[in-house]
Structures are given as C-alpha cells and as structure tokens.
Amino acid sequence: MSAIKLSSIRRLSNLAVKAAIQSEVDLTPVIAGAGRDLLVASTSGIFPPTPVAKVHAAHIVAGAIEGAGRAGGDPLIVIRSIVEGTIKGAWESGADVGPVAVDSVAAAGHVAARIGIDSKTAIQCATEGAIDAGMKIGGDAGRWIADALKKAFRGRKSEKLKIFAIGELADQDDLRDQSEPRSRRIESA
C-alpha cells in the first residue's frame, strides 16, 4: 500500500473541499481537480494501481462529502465533482476506471446517508459524475463505467438493499481483489 494513510487521504479531501467552499470559487473544477490530484499522488508508484485506487477513491469521496457537510456547501455539486475527479485520477494513474467508479459511487451513497443527504440522490449525482468523467476521458470509458455500475448493483430488489450493498463496499478498507486483471485499459488517443 502507498505511504499515505487512508485517514490522511480522507482528511486532505475534507480540507480541500472546505477551502474551496470558503473561497467562493466555481466549485466544480476545483473539487474535481483536488480529487484527481489526491488519487494520482496517493497511487503514484504502485502496481497494479486498481486495488489501491479503489480504496483511496472511496476515502477521497467520503472526505469531500464530510467537508461539504461541515462547510455548508452544496453536497450534490461536491459529490458529482469529486467522483469525476477520482475517475480522472484513476485513469491517469493507470487504474481500471470501472471498479474505481463503483467504489466512488458506493462511498458517496454511504456517506451521504450518514450525514442526512438522500442516498438515492447522492448515488445519482455520483453516477453522473463518473460517467461524465468517462466521456471526457474518451474511448469506451463512459460505457465501461456504466457497465461496471450496472453489474455492481444488479439484482438488488429494493433501494434499502442497494444502500446496504453500497455500505458494504464503502466500509472495506482492505485491498481486496489484488489479482484483478486490468482488462479494460483505454489506449491513449
């Protein structure tokens, strides 16, 4: 695992969002950039990057949402922007964007519910941010992200079960699926 502790990643994300909200700048690019930068820096030099990027992305998203809640910013803008940033960071670090998107969306739903935001709305915003990032990356990234999200939440009969599954994903801080193949690397154009 990288030298950066998960609690530090979460705290840096939290502080970046608070600072952006307090500075009254256009939040979307600032928060997306912070998410991208944090993920790239925290996965630098790690191979394979996907297992670590999944865990770090979840903590970056969680910290950003908590920061928005404390600073009084619009959490839905923060959710969409930070998820977009983590997906872009995953791409830049060489990680598979599909699994990173699943853990980012899962973290958004889980943390949003804990701080009083409707989890269904949070999941929708996070999904939009993930797919937007995929479309900006280009190639088939948007489709791969959408496919990964559909597969992760397929078969859930109720919204409550979906949230439970999302919480299970977000609560895992270990490096699961270390043998996961990088099956869908997008070649640079």
Side-chain angles (χ1 to χ4, degrees):
M1 189 163 203
S2 70
I4 300 175
K5 293 182 179 181
L6 293 175
S7 60
S8 296
I9 291 169
R10 194 172 190 142
R11 178 89 174 125
L12 286 170
S13 177
N14 187 312
L15 291 173
V17 168
K18 284 181 187 177
I21 290 169
Q22 291 169 352
S23 66
E24 299 180 9
V25 297
D26 181 13
L27 292 180
T28 301
V30 172
I31 293 172
R36 182 189 61 77
D37 292 347
L38 281 169
L39 192 65
V40 169
S42 70
T43 58
S44 178
I46 295 177
F47 187 81
T50 302
V52 174
K54 290 173 17 174
V55 174
H56 288 196
H59 282 272
I60 291 167
V61 170
I65 295 168
E66 291 164 351
R70 290 186 184 118
D74 183 346
L76 300 179
I77 291 173
V78 170
I79 290 168
R80 185 180 179 122
S81 301
I82 199 71
V83 170
E84 181 179 330
T86 60
I87 302 306
K88 288 178 181 176
W91 163 249
E92 289 182 28
S93 69
D96 189 346
V97 294
V100 174
V102 169
D103 280 16
S104 294
V105 171
H110 184 66
V111 175
R114 279 196 335 223
I115 65 169
I117 301 168
D118 177 54
S119 56
K120 186 175 180 180
T121 304
I123 291 167
Q124 182 180 353
C125 286
T127 300
E128 290 169 2
I131 292 172
D132 282 353
M135 300 309 262
K136 289 176 183 175
I137 290 169
D140 290 328
R143 182 177 53 81
W144 290 338
I145 290 168
D147 289 348
L149 290 169
K150 286 178 193 171
K151 182 179 177 186
F153 304 115
R154 182 182 309 139
R156 307 288 180 203
K157 301 284 186 227
S158 71
E159 196 61 35
K160 192 171 189 176
L161 287 175
K162 286 181 187 178
I163 300 307
F164 178 75
I166 289 166
E168 285 179 345
L169 288 172
D171 284 339
Q172 295 177 8
D173 291 342
D174 60 327
L175 297 178
R176 57 197 187 287
D177 300 329
Q178 290 190 21
S179 61
E180 174 181 271
R182 278 196 62 213
S183 59
R184 293 184 171 166
R185 181 174 177 148
I186 304 169
E187 298 302 322
S188 298

